[in-house]
Every structure is written in structure tokens, then in C-alpha cells.
Amino acid sequence: MQKRYITSPIYYVNDVPHIGHAYTTFLCDMLKKFYQLQGKDMLFTTGTDEHGQKIEQSAQKNALEPKAYADKISARFRELWNEFHIDYDIFVRTTDNTHCLSVQKAFEIMYDKGDIYKGSYEGHYCISCESFFTQTQLGENQSCPDCGKVTQIVEEESYFFALSKYQDKLLAHFRAHPNMIAPAFYQNEIIHFVETGLNDLSITRTSFEWGVPLPHNPKRKDDKPHVMYVWLDALLSYLSPLGYMADGEKMPYWEHTTHFVGKDILRFHAVYWVAFLMSLELPLPKHIYTHGWWTRDGAKMSKSIGNVVNPKEVANAYGVESLRYFLLREMPFGQDGDFSQKALIERINAELSNDMGNLLNRLCGMSEKYFDLKIDSTDVEAYFSEELEQIHTLAHNTQEKMYHI
Ligand SMILES: [Zn+2]
């Protein structure tokens, strides 16, 4: 049986689940079920991203140890996916011991290969986004281009991943695999980004402690203890549940991998992650499916405005399946979509209740009235060959469209 692997991003425990998390997770669950109907052997992982300076700070504010804080938020995600009937196989947490060991071993492989070297990093750093930015990337008043907060100049000893070494290899791979990142305009965006030149990537931090520590290696002498940069840690959560660098039991699933990501984290997956995998000499993901963002009633959702949609509240009011249907139906895949109660009610009434509900009702009613709920298959094939043909074509076309989102 063909093995297929689907991943949702692991969700950052600095935030409680919102509608965007629910959307990505529903997408993964939908694709898993679709492949399962075709007899494929599926593995689907989701989980939580629990390290980093922001978590350390949030835990402090809540008077908790970082791990206790992460436990609390991680449980909320897991409970919600269970309530939403999300059929994940493994829930990975970056604080799992097996995960931390995978990250450390991967680091050593890349280090021994000469893809990781020590340097010093100075840059405009956004604490909120845990990212350094170059001068040209900054917004007004040295603000972070992603969240708008003021950045600070930070210099620290850091290990670097030689990302620039992989520029040509990345471009060659994207050109040879034009359907890797979908929809296609995202692949073009990434190609353009790589073509403008890649800087080596700082992949360790000494400014905080809440992370996977660097493995002990007598070849390395550090002034201060380093922890892994959050993205290196988080991305490896796609491999650690498969037993990477441990028993390797589920590694055969890796051969056919589909990642679902939001457009805000595409670059980390399509460039950094793919380059890490090249360095680790592992197969590359077959697909990186990229979706847009949800707005609410036409406006950007934000905690400060207080208009963030809580998926649990919507599901409690309208039912999980209605929410699932609405999210998957309303947003054209890859583009942004708008969440409004009005649109949700309209879709439920017009499509689920009137169209689907009435069709089913009539089918059942008439089957009972005229045929005593029995269908003679010979007659069906004789009298409705044309209609059956149309149904087969429709099913075939649907499959094609699902493969080429
Ligand atoms: Zn920021």
C-alpha cells in the first residue's frame, strides 16, 4: 500500500487556537480522508511548537515555568482537535525528549558536513517574531516588517547554517518540480526570493535558555550555552515523529510528504526547510500547499482589536461539520478569505440544507414511494448509462483537481 504523509504546521503555544489554525487542520484532515478513500496508507501529524523567548516571557507573566505554561496551551490544541474529530495520528510536541534528540542529531550531521559554522551576528531583532531583519527589510522607525513592533540591535555569538551554498540547488529543484509549491504563484514568489540571493542563517541563540540545547561536542568551545533557533527546532518536528535518528520505524512515510502551510510561513518551509533537508541528504517534500489568511467581516483579525474568531464558539453554535464545510468551501485555496456570520448562515441554508438536504430527502422519499427502497442494479445500468458516465467523469475530475490544488 502506498504510504503518504501529511503535516499541519505545529502551532505556537503563545496563542490559543483561532480560526486560522482550525482551517489548516481541517485541510490536512480532509486530504488524509480523501487519500484514505483511495486505499492509501496515511500518516498525519500535528502538534505544538513550544520553545523560544516569547514562550519564556509569557510563562513568566503567568507565573509559570515554561514547560508548565506550554503544557497548558498545548493541551488546548489537542482537546480542540479531538472535539473537531480531527483524525491525526501523532501529536508532536517540541518539548518531547525524542524530538529534542532528533534536533541535536540533525545539528551534528550538518555541523560535521561543514554546513554549520560559528560566527557572530548583529542585527535588528524583533523579540515578538524572534527574527533578525536587515536594514532594508525594516519598516518605519526600525520597526519589524511582520508585526510592526520596534526592533532592537542585538549582537551575539551564533552558529550559522550555510544557506547561501544551497541557492543554486534550490533553484534547480524548483525548476525541475514546478508543482512542488501550490498554488503556482507561490512557487514563483519563492523562486524570485531565492534568485535575489540568500544569506546564511543564524540557527542558535545565547540570549535565552528555553530551547533545545546544543549537543555537547568537544570540538566546539562556546563562551555561552547556545540553544537552537526556534525554526530549526520546529521544522524538525516533521521528522522526529517518524523516528528520525531513532528507530526510524515510520521513515518510509517521508518518501511522499505533503506540508500544509499558511503563506506567512511559506519561506521557512520552501527555502530553509528544503535546504536543511538537502544538507541532511533526505528526500524533499512532494508538495507544499499554501493557503491565504482569514479576515473577519472584511477586516484583519487581531488580538488587540478583539475580533479574532474562536472556532470552538462557532462550532458550538452551528456544529463542527457546518464549520468544517464553510471553511473549506468559502476560501478559494491559496487566496485570502473572509469569515462572517452572514456568509456562514447563507452557506448552511443554501448549500447544506436546501441543496444537499433536499436532494437527499427527495432521493430517500421517492426511493421508498416508488421502489420500496430497493435499487435493481441491472436496470440502473441499462437506463442510466449516460448519467453514470457523467458521474464517473465527475469523480475522475475531482481527483485530478485534488492532486493539483
Ligand atoms: Zn515582529
Side-chain angles (χ1 to χ4, degrees):
M1 224 188 329
Q2 261 187 314
K3 288 181 165 36
R4 299 265 167 123
Y5 184 36
I6 293 175
T7 72
S8 89
I10 52 169
Y11 302 120
Y12 204 34
V13 295
N14 204 34
D15 200 4
V16 293
H18 57 64
I19 205 83
H21 299 119
Y23 176 61
T24 322
T25 315
F26 278 137
L27 279 168
C28 297
D29 192 53
M30 176 271 298
L31 194 67
K32 174 183 175 178
K33 287 173 168 131
F34 172 76
Y35 281 141
Q36 262 176 340
L37 286 171
Q38 295 165 38
K40 305 233 182 337
D41 176 12
M42 301 304 300
L43 189 82
F44 161 27
T45 62
T46 186
T48 42
D49 180 7
E50 306 181 9
H51 287 131
Q53 192 168 16
K54 249 198 291 187
I55 307 299
E56 205 174 64
Q57 289 168 347
S58 297
Q60 224 166 24
K61 268 189 225 155
N62 288 275
L64 287 170
E65 286 297 313
K67 178 62 167 55
Y69 176 77
D71 285 348
K72 212 171 101 179
I73 311 283
S74 175
R76 288 217 211 166
F77 278 95
R78 194 196 290 243
E79 281 159 19
L80 188 67
W81 303 152
N82 292 342
E83 277 174 45
F84 280 7
H85 316 301
I86 300 293
D87 191 15
Y88 61 86
D89 297 285
I90 300 173
F91 190 96
V92 58
R93 299 182 56 184
T94 55
T95 50
D96 292 339
N97 193 36
T98 46
H99 169 76
C100 298
L101 289 172
S102 286
V103 178
Q104 291 180 326
K105 286 179 179 168
F107 183 94
E108 286 299 8
I109 294 175
M110 297 192 279
Y111 181 81
D112 286 340
K113 214 177 159 183
D115 280 352
I116 290 178
Y117 63 91
K118 190 150 102 173
S120 126
Y121 199 86
E122 187 192 88
H124 297 272
Y125 185 69
C126 173
I127 296 180
S128 270
C129 302
E130 290 174 44
S131 298
F132 279 99
F133 297 98
T134 61
Q135 190 68 46
T136 52
Q137 290 172 318
L138 293 178
E140 267 177 55
N141 302 322
Q142 322 278 310
S143 65
C144 167
D146 289 342
C147 74
K149 290 183 189 153
V150 178
T151 57
Q152 306 164 8
I153 294 190
V154 173
E155 182 179 1
E156 58 177 23
E157 178 187 82
S158 176
Y159 283 92
F160 283 79
F161 175 74
L163 185 64
S164 54
K165 244 168 88 171
Y166 287 92
Q167 181 166 344
D168 293 342
K169 229 178 143 183
L170 284 166
L171 285 173
H173 186 80
F174 295 141
R175 287 183 181 131
H177 300 85
N179 298 318
M180 182 185 182
I181 304 165
F185 59 88
Y186 286 117
Q187 178 136 340
N188 294 336
E189 252 179 52
I190 288 296
I191 290 176
H192 179 72
F193 172 76
V194 177
E195 277 172 345
T196 56
L198 295 176
N199 295 322
D200 289 351
L201 196 66
S202 162
I203 53 162
T204 67
R205 295 284 183 267
T206 58
S207 47
F208 60 90
E209 289 170 12
W210 182 236
V212 179
L214 240 63
H216 175 72
N217 184 333
K219 281 185 265 177
R220 291 192 293 265
K221 300 256 180 299
D222 301 326
D223 301 341
K224 279 192 190 171
H226 288 244
V227 294
M228 307 281 183
Y229 170 52
V230 191
W231 274 102
L232 176 65
D233 173 6
L235 289 164
L236 276 154
S237 74
Y238 296 137
L239 285 173
S240 56
L242 305 181
Y244 176 66
M245 297 308 287
D247 62 14
E249 204 191 321
K250 297 193 173 67
M251 281 304 283
Y253 287 96
W254 182 254
E255 301 288 326
H256 197 297
T257 295
T258 297
H259 296 308
F260 273 98
V261 300
K263 64 180 179 181
D264 51 326
I265 55 171
L266 172 61
R267 189 186 298 170
F268 295 96
H269 286 78
V271 182
Y272 306 161
W273 178 228
V274 173
F276 293 154
L277 289 167
M278 285 173 167
S279 177
L280 295 169
E281 296 176 27
L282 286 170
L284 306 180
K286 290 274 183 290
H287 300 289
I288 304 177
Y289 290 145
T290 313
H291 67 74
W293 284 339
W294 286 96
T295 52
R296 179 172 187 175
D297 301 309
K300 195 177 176 221
M301 273 189 247
S302 92
K303 270 196 269 186
S304 52
I305 303 173
N307 65 344
V308 177
V309 180
N310 178 339
K312 195 169 147 62
E313 281 172 12
V314 181
N316 288 346
Y318 298 98
V320 174
E321 295 311 313
S322 298
L323 172 65
R324 174 193 284 264
Y325 175 78
F326 175 75
L327 293 181
L328 296 178
R329 174 71 180 83
E330 182 74 10
M331 187 188 271
F333 188 78
Q335 295 168 33
D336 291 345
D338 187 53
F339 185 94
S340 73
Q341 200 175 16
K342 187 168 170 280
L344 174 71
I345 292 171
E346 274 172 12
R347 289 237 185 251
I348 294 174
N349 286 344
E351 294 171 19
L352 292 181
S353 179
N354 288 349
D355 293 352
M356 294 298 289
N358 279 344
L359 176 67
L360 196 67
N361 193 28
R362 279 188 200 196
L363 276 174
C364 294
M366 286 161 96
S367 305
E368 188 171 19
K369 196 169 166 191
Y370 300 113
F371 304 105
D372 198 21
L373 291 172
K374 289 190 190 87
I375 295 171
D376 182 324
S377 64
T378 335
D379 280 0
V380 169
E381 276 170 32
Y383 292 114
F384 297 101
S385 60
E386 208 176 297
E387 286 81 356
L388 280 172
E389 188 57 39
Q390 283 174 0
I391 291 170
H392 287 310
T393 311
L394 189 68
H396 176 78
N397 290 348
T398 308
Q399 275 191 21
E400 285 295 300
K401 288 211 161 32
M402 287 291 283
Y403 290 134
H404 303 110
I405 285 177

